[in-house]
Amino acid sequence: MNKVYVVGIGPGNRDYILPIAYRIIEECDVLVGGKRNIEIFSSYKKEVFTYDSNLQGMCDYISANRNEKKIAVIVSGDTGFYSLLDYLQSKIGKECIDVIPGISSYQYLFSRIGKSYKDYGLYSLHGREIRWMDILKDRKGLFLLTDKKNSPSCIAEQLIDAGLSNVTMIVGENLSYDDEKITIDVPENIMKQDFSVLCVVVIENEE
């Protein structure tokens, strides 16, 4: 029975995809993932399965086809940072999966601003309720994956309401793409701006 590969492809730009990821994808018969991720490899002419929001349908497809086909599940960023890895291991079995890491969005953003992230908390707000404000009090700062509900503007508003208007916010939009934009400002100014859906946020405590 074939192993299923879970392949991290970094922040999005082809230049940040590891060579081993390209090799594994070339060797596989089927690419599974979101439409945006799979489009990067359209020149490979592989069979594709886009799961949209139907994760159970994705697992059913993998289980039904992995005996005859080599399958790679393509995930953004790194496989170990809020990706599909945990879910797939729980559904398919840890022993059935090989993991190929990628460059995470936090690695990329911190490299762009020239800082170490070792003292920062790293969290995702995608469909999660996290008491990040409490965590912020004990850390140098936080890195947050945002979503439509927890946008940079919403986070800025919460900081102001909590009396933390003097912290610094760093918003990374469309990281590694041609239209990449990194905004560094205080919450009051961030709150007034509109940002794309593909955003991450760093909050830095006042030094």
Side-chain angles (χ1 to χ4, degrees):
M1 186 174 291
N2 293 318
K3 290 268 191 175
V4 175
Y5 293 95
V6 180
V7 183
I9 60 168
N13 189 301
R14 293 172 182 269
D15 292 343
Y16 288 91
I17 300 175
L18 299 179
I20 188 172
Y22 281 114
R23 180 171 63 78
I24 293 297
I25 287 166
E26 190 169 354
E27 292 173 357
C28 284
D29 303 304
V30 183
L31 305 183
V32 174
K35 185 177 179 182
R36 185 186 182 99
N37 290 341
I38 289 179
E39 282 178 347
I40 296 173
F41 307 99
S42 59
S43 62
Y44 283 65
K45 307 301 181 186
K46 301 288 185 177
E47 180 182 340
V48 301
F49 180 89
T50 54
Y51 59 77
D52 298 319
S53 299
N54 186 3
L55 296 183
Q56 184 57 54
M58 172 190 68
C59 290
D60 293 342
Y61 173 86
I62 291 171
S63 298
N65 287 277
R66 70 186 185 91
N67 285 349
E68 294 79 28
K69 300 173 182 179
K70 287 186 177 181
I71 298 174
V73 181
I74 311 300
V75 299
S76 298
D78 178 52
T79 49
F81 187 63
Y82 296 100
S83 76
L84 287 172
L85 179 59
D86 291 343
Y87 179 82
L88 286 168
Q89 287 179 335
S90 70
K91 293 292 185 178
I92 298 172
K94 209 170 185 180
E95 71 284 353
C96 301
I97 292 175
D98 274 352
V99 182
I100 308 299
I103 295 172
S104 68
S105 53
Y106 67 82
Q107 287 175 305
Y108 179 87
L109 180 57
F110 277 99
S111 73
R112 293 285 286 117
I113 62 177
K115 292 189 176 186
S116 166
Y117 51 82
K118 62 183 176 64
D119 295 320
Y120 289 72
L122 309 171
Y123 298 94
S124 172
L125 301 180
H126 287 176
R128 294 174 174 86
E129 295 295 330
I130 295 174
R131 297 177 66 86
W132 58 267
M133 198 81 70
D134 293 337
I135 299 168
L136 179 62
K137 296 174 185 176
D138 300 319
R139 304 302 293 261
K140 182 177 180 179
L142 294 181
F143 172 92
L144 301 173
L145 296 177
T146 68
D147 60 13
K148 290 181 179 179
K149 178 183 176 183
N150 299 285
S151 66
S153 302
C154 178
I155 292 168
E157 185 175 0
Q158 292 178 63
L159 286 167
I160 293 170
D161 290 344
L164 297 172
S165 58
N166 291 328
V167 300
T168 298
M169 292 184 67
I170 302 166
V171 181
E173 292 181 83
N174 304 315
L175 294 179
S176 83
Y177 290 97
D178 291 339
D179 56 347
E180 172 183 291
K181 183 180 179 183
I182 297 175
T183 303
I184 303 176
D185 214 327
V186 294
E188 183 180 359
N189 293 331
I190 295 292
M191 187 176 65
K192 300 171 184 175
Q193 300 181 50
D194 293 322
F195 297 93
S196 71
V197 176
L198 289 176
C199 267
V200 296
V201 167
V202 170
I203 305 168
E204 294 189 318
N205 269 322
E206 195 174 15
E207 296 183 356

